[in-house]
Amino acid sequence: MAGIANPLEELSLEDLRRRTSVKWRTYPEDVLPLWVAEMDVRLAEPIAAALMQAIERGDTGYPSGRGLAEAYAGFAGRRWGWAGVDPANTALAPDVMLGIVEVIRLLTSPGDTVVVSAPVYPPFYAFVEHDQRLIRHAPCTDAGRLDLEALDRVFGEVRAAGRPAVYLMSNPHNPTGTVHSRAELEQLAALTRRHGVRVVSDEIHSPLVLAGAAFTPYLSVAGAEEGFAVVAASKAWNLAGLKTGLIVAGPGAAADLRRLPEEVGHGASHLGVIAHTTAFDEGEPWLDALLAGLADNRTLLRGLVGERLPQIGLRPPEGTYLAWLDCRPLGLHDPAADGAPGIVTDLAGPARFFLDHARVALSSGHVFGAGGGGHVRFNFATSRAVVTEAVDRMARALDVRETSRPGG
């Protein structure tokens, strides 16, 4: 990390507003966009250099080889002490969600059930249901952790008909920022083996674990041999526009992976593979600087919310750069709408209020499914100045609302 400045403090708001990605083009310029999971950072220097070299060579063809899998295996060994990634048991995918869909297709048929722990990443609902699978909830606990008793019950119910079922896990969990412990994952593996449920673990946020927590790859725990993980460098190094994902099969799932259609790997971008490979091979010093900046922002946000927004609940996330704010005490949401996920740009309740009255764009909790109503997701992967301004705007909007009430 020596010599690398905080990546979150390198770009001004003026710099960022010149971007053309969805984060910066969905709302007018007077809005602070803290919704979609993009970070306000430059590319890490090794990644930018690798991409420039490829462009200079005209190396813009189709991806090939197992370089990304080997880079991820090396990263997993250094970062988590996990030597269990066999590059032969991996496959390229266009991105993490499309990789998840392809794995679910290997393990289930239309009409089968996919269990999720809600509230959870909204595309889980859209991609699974558009592929004619049924979604079943096993809600998280009030503390935002896996509810293993609920999972045990739901797994038993969905398997009672004798049809295949998958548990689709977010690890770390989006939107709560929970980092599942090794003990929790071991218990989950035991449950799924007992019920004959297969696990697909979305580990896109796995490098983004903050001080005080430790990431455990699902496939590294005993009993997870028949599971799958789908990974990418896109969240940790801000590479969403460089499409690539990697499917990793446990040793007991290798035969399933061999049934994956060969053309699935064609959807990955060659430049994306170069960028993601470089991130895992050479991007750790930059990542460490980023994580230090994110930890500082987490502390800043917690203090600001406690001081300026005391009505709002915040449990500091263990991982990701996404804070899950409980705005239910504000009385801005309709409880009847909870559990009805929508597309990621849908706004309701507190998210609609803060956009309209504070000009701050946050992700609306209801799109994350059961338990999400009355919440907002706040992306703090930005400068300290933007985090502070956003909370100040939210507080001022609530102050105006309070004083405008009769008797206020």
Side-chain angles (χ1 to χ4, degrees), residues 271-328:
L271 291 178
V273 170
I274 289 170
H276 288 237
T277 301
T278 304
F280 287 130
D281 269 341
E282 304 176 41
E284 285 179 81
W286 185 92
L287 175 64
D288 288 336
L290 171 72
L291 290 173
L294 290 175
D296 286 345
N297 279 8
R298 175 179 61 175
T299 300
L300 172 67
L301 180 61
R302 182 179 189 179
L304 290 170
V305 169
E307 177 185 349
R308 301 283 282 124
L309 300 169
Q311 318 95 310
I312 292 178
L314 167 60
R315 182 181 298 109
E318 299 173 314
T320 79
Y321 45 78
L322 306 166
W324 187 237
L325 306 185
D326 184 355
C327 302
R328 288 175 295 180

Side-chain angles (χ1 to χ4, degrees), residues 117-119 138-150 176 178 184 315 324:
S117 292
C140 295
T141 67
D142 291 341
R145 307 206 69 88
L146 298 180
D147 188 331
L148 293 161
E149 290 185 5
T176 62
T178 300
E184 287 171 321
R315 182 181 298 109
W324 187 237

Side-chain angles (χ1 to χ4, degrees), residues 379-403:
N379 176 350
F380 58 89
T382 186
S383 69
R384 292 174 63 87
V386 170
V387 171
T388 302
E389 173 64 16
V391 174
D392 284 346
R393 289 187 184 192
M394 293 164 69
R396 289 195 298 269
L398 289 175
D399 288 344
V400 169
R401 173 177 178 257
E402 187 63 27
T403 57

Side-chain angles (χ1 to χ4, degrees), residues 154-165 195-197:
V154 172
F155 290 159
E157 291 171 357
V158 299
R159 289 288 287 139
R163 298 188 64 157
H195 289 289
V197 172

